[in-house]
Amino acid sequence: MPLIEDQINGYIERESKARSAAATWRAHVQMCAEIFKPRKAKMEMRGIDGDKRHTAVWNGTPEDALDVAAAGIHSETMPPDALWGVFEPDDEFEAEDKANTLWCQMATKKVMTGFHESNFTIQSHEAIVDVLYAGITNTFMKEGKKTAFHFSTRNPFEYVYFENEEGEVDTVMGTVELPARVARERFGKDAGKPVLEALKNNELDRKFDYLHVVVPRKDRDSTKGGAMNAPWAEYYILRSEKHVAQEKGYYEFPFLVARGSKSFGEIAGRSPAMKALGVGQALQVMEVNTLEAGEKRVKPSLVATNQGWQAAITAKAGTINYNDSYSSGGQPPVSELPGGDPGWGREEIMGKEEEMRRYFCVRAFEMEEVKTDVTLGERQMRKLEKVKQIAPLLHRFFLEYIRKAMMRGLYMLIRRGELPEPPEGLSKLKIGMRSPLFLLLQHGAETEAVQGVYELAAFIAEKRLQFGESPVFDNLNDDEAFLAGIKQWNPPAKMLEDKQQVEEMRQSRAQQQAAQQQMETLGQGVDMAAKLGVNDGVDAQAVQ
């Protein structure tokens, strides 16, 4: 159903009000960007192509800490070319159906392949950077022309966001600036009269503002299909003419909007950079003061006596000032003031730099010194302690970004016929993360508990051995403890034997041991019979 003028005016007014209401937040994010990610600064302000887009940063530790955290989170949650996410039946009984598991494996392979072949790795990294400095990210996901999917992480300032009653972002509005030739390629003859006139005048790069709106469709007939009747409607409106250049639809919300920690009623989230902003600003001031102190040591200030000068002192280039050193009491007419200390404040700066790294959990993503007396499990536990601070942020990023990207990719492939419909016996899916960081957060505490229980059991057993008994290990199931303890490393499935095969091997081993014990018993009987003078025939028959 085409938009009427009142609806167009309503969208324009709604976007303008939301943008004005978010002005304070944008100013705060701008301050964070200037220190933590200068290339992201001034994005809200439109400048001339090629102009200066960075600010003066004297200490690069804030940006370095953010970059290390972003690279660490990305590489340990969504490593390129790795199977970091899988589809699984949500019901344990449905998981026992082989048809369900096979379909999930096929779906996982298709979606992961589509992600790896697309630009997902690049754009998801930009999304993590945005969350760390701005507290919000916005990635547009659509079908690709050469690959299954295409992703575009937008500037956080470009759109305003609206939540539904469940706190999920389901509406975005933003002003997009398009050159005339791009608008013509995208919208055709519906680009708008001003655009077509600009093209006639050969003004190919003249830019026009379009309001991009994606909202839930209200006047929808759920019994009918087609993009124009999809759950979400998309509009491009030429603002100057209030003209609808394009209307489309989506079966799923096409934007992946992830946020940092936030309070009830807030739209945008809080980022680690916002917490560390005071430390980042202090570092810049301290660095400048230290540089000035060093400059005074290299280029100290000069002081002149007020006696013995034959004329007024002048600092003009090419002039000479004459002084009678005898009249000035034998003192030099010009001397240096005590210079600054170039090492002043270095320890304080180093302390602030370490504090900055703690805000971004940098130590969790750095290689520890390998020591012979430190086990892999102990190193993993140390890492778990360091990343607990950003665990809430990672959990929200999974729910709002990773999970929605995988589910949208799954539905897109099914609609295009590249993936069959799920089996009738599969009612609900869940997504399991198989990347190192998520496995550590999910199962690290479990592994630590297993190690602690066995250490306690060993301590008790050692004490009980003094009395000739040690029954404490009878309370422990070694198989279950082992399987629980290795979850955080996600070993390949082919590395572990099936439970049924393990049981069969144990039964076979037990039978062999029983047979061997029986042979030994019979052999002892033969020896005893021989000593007692029993008939050789009886001995042979016993052995047979």
Side-chain angles (χ1 to χ4, degrees):
M1 181 178 178
L3 289 178
I4 61 177
E5 185 176 354
D6 288 345
Q7 290 175 310
I8 295 174
N9 291 332
Y11 287 142
I12 294 176
E13 183 179 0
R14 188 181 180 189
E15 191 263 352
S16 299
K17 286 183 177 180
R19 191 168 294 279
S20 298
T24 302
W25 170 76
R26 293 199 305 274
H28 193 188
V29 174
Q30 178 67 31
M31 294 170 63
C32 293
E34 290 175 355
I35 293 178
F36 291 91
K37 188 52 65 177
R39 69 178 176 86
K40 297 273 189 177
K42 296 184 179 180
M43 280 194 169
E44 184 184 17
M45 298 177 287
R46 296 182 180 179
I48 301 173
D49 292 341
D51 66 354
K52 184 178 179 180
R53 292 295 181 95
H54 64 84
T55 55
V57 175
W58 300 98
N59 187 297
T61 303
E63 184 176 11
D64 180 68
L66 187 146
D67 286 340
V68 171
I73 292 174
H74 187 227
S75 62
E76 296 201 28
T77 56
M78 298 173 288
D81 299 328
L83 198 68
W84 44 260
V86 297
F87 293 104
E88 299 172 332
D90 192 38
D91 186 271
E92 60 180 5
F93 296 104
E94 294 179 358
E96 296 177 357
D97 190 331
K98 189 174 182 180
N100 293 339
T101 57
L102 289 176
W103 185 89
C104 287
Q105 292 173 2
M106 179 173 55
T108 298
K109 184 177 180 180
K110 285 280 188 179
V111 173
M112 285 289 104
T113 300
F115 280 6
H116 295 326
E117 291 178 350
S118 71
N119 63 338
F120 177 78
T121 298
I122 299 172
Q123 297 302 311
S124 60
H125 178 77
E126 286 298 311
I128 295 173
V129 170
D130 288 347
V131 170
L132 291 178
Y133 94 88
I136 191 170
T137 189
N138 179 20
T139 301
F140 185 65
M141 180 181 179
K142 64 178 182 179
E143 292 184 1
K145 295 181 179 180
K146 298 182 180 180
T147 57
F149 315 117
H150 181 79
F151 299 85
S152 176
T153 298
R154 315 299 297 178
N155 168 20
F157 295 121
E158 190 174 8
Y159 288 85
V160 291
Y161 313 92
F162 304 88
E163 291 182 336
N164 59 21
E165 62 180 356
E166 296 181 356
E168 296 180 338
V169 174
D170 67 345
T171 300
V172 298
M173 298 181 183
T175 299
V176 181
E177 195 177 50
L178 298 177
R181 65 184 185 88
V182 175
R184 179 66 171 82
E185 292 172 359
R186 182 176 296 184
F187 309 128
K189 63 180 181 180
D190 294 325
K193 290 183 180 180
V195 177
L196 300 179
E197 291 177 358
L199 292 173
K200 287 181 180 180
N201 297 329
N202 203 30
E203 297 176 307
L204 303 181
D205 296 321
R206 180 181 169 185
K207 295 181 180 179
F208 294 88
D209 288 341
Y210 287 87
L211 178 64
H212 185 205
V213 179
V214 178
V215 295
R217 196 186 297 274
K218 295 181 179 179
D219 54 344
R220 175 174 177 261
D221 186 353
S222 58
T223 62
K224 297 181 180 180
M228 300 303 291
N229 196 46
W232 272 269
E234 179 189 47
Y235 305 102
Y236 276 93
I237 302 171
L238 183 61
R239 295 189 71 120
S240 61
E241 302 294 316
K242 297 182 181 179
H243 162 71
V244 179
Q246 186 181 73
E247 178 182 358
K248 293 172 61 177
Y250 295 99
Y251 290 94
E252 302 87 32
F253 188 55
F255 285 95
L256 309 174
V257 181
R259 295 162 289 179
S261 59
K262 72 182 195 72
S263 302
F264 178 78
E266 288 184 327
I267 301 296
R270 310 279 176 172
S271 68
M274 293 177 181
K275 298 178 183 179
L277 181 58
V279 178
Q281 291 174 330
L283 272 173
Q284 308 310 314
V285 175
M286 295 169 68
E287 194 71 44
V288 171
N289 291 340
T290 302
L291 292 173
E292 289 179 348
E295 184 181 17
K296 289 180 179 179
R297 171 64 69 89
V298 178
K299 298 179 180 180
S301 301
L302 301 178
V303 60
T305 62
N306 61 353
Q307 297 178 355
W309 298 99
Q310 298 181 2
I313 299 177
T314 177
K316 292 182 179 180
T319 59
I320 300 176
N321 298 288
Y322 294 94
N323 179 272
D324 184 354
S325 59
Y326 178 78
S327 300
S328 60
Q331 299 295 326
V334 178
S335 59
E336 297 179 354
L337 286 177
D341 181 5
W344 179 88
R346 293 312 307 177
E347 292 186 2
E348 289 77 4
I349 289 178
M350 292 174 64
K352 287 293 182 183
E353 290 174 341
E354 184 60 30
E355 184 179 355
M356 176 64 66
R357 295 186 181 97
R358 286 198 298 270
Y359 275 110
F360 289 93
C361 301
V362 169
R363 298 303 182 200
F365 304 110
E366 292 180 341
M367 290 293 293
E368 288 190 0
E369 181 183 356
V370 179
K371 299 179 180 179
T372 56
D373 58 338
V374 179
T375 66
L376 176 60
E378 290 174 335
R379 291 201 297 271
Q380 290 290 91
M381 291 306 103
R382 292 177 184 177
K383 187 171 186 176
L384 178 61
E385 293 176 357
K386 295 172 184 176
V387 300
K388 280 183 178 179
Q389 180 181 342
I390 58 174
L393 184 145
L394 292 175
H395 181 66
R396 181 180 286 274
F397 190 79
F398 166 74
L399 292 177
E400 296 185 332
Y401 196 94
I402 299 176
R403 184 179 184 278
K404 290 188 176 181
M406 290 189 65
M407 295 304 298
R408 175 157 165 74
L410 176 68
Y411 296 141
M412 291 168 68
L413 292 177
I414 292 176
R415 282 195 300 271
R416 282 161 41 182
E418 298 183 19
L419 189 66
E421 293 283 346
E424 294 183 359
L426 184 59
S427 61
K428 189 177 180 181
L429 287 174
K430 68 177 181 180
I431 294 175
M433 294 299 293
R434 297 294 183 264
S435 54
L437 191 54
F438 274 105
L439 288 172
L440 178 62
L441 291 171
Q442 291 170 0
H443 305 295
E446 192 174 5
T447 300
E448 187 176 11
V450 170
Q451 294 176 349
V453 167
Y454 271 82
E455 288 176 3
L456 177 61
F459 173 77
I460 296 176
E462 184 179 359
K463 295 295 183 182
R464 297 294 297 177
L465 281 174
Q466 300 175 3
F467 303 97
E469 59 180 5
S470 179
V472 65
F473 283 101
D474 296 341
N475 297 292
L476 302 178
N477 187 322
D478 293 340
D479 287 347
E480 294 299 326
F482 172 75
L483 294 175
I486 64 174
K487 284 182 179 179
Q488 73 176 54
W489 290 292
N490 189 32
K494 61 184 180 181
M495 180 178 175
L496 301 176
E497 296 287 356
D498 182 78
K499 286 185 177 181
Q500 184 176 354
Q501 292 178 336
V502 172
E503 187 63 28
E504 292 175 355
M505 286 190 296
R506 287 176 175 174
Q507 290 179 357
S508 175
R509 189 182 303 119
Q511 292 174 357
Q512 292 176 1
Q513 291 176 349
Q516 183 177 1
Q517 185 176 4
Q518 184 179 10
M519 291 295 294
E520 292 177 354
T521 302
L522 291 174
Q524 293 175 358
V526 171
D527 293 342
M528 182 64 67
K531 292 179 180 179
L532 296 175
V534 180
N535 190 292
D536 292 340
V538 175
D539 295 344
Q541 184 178 4
V543 173
Q544 292 175 356

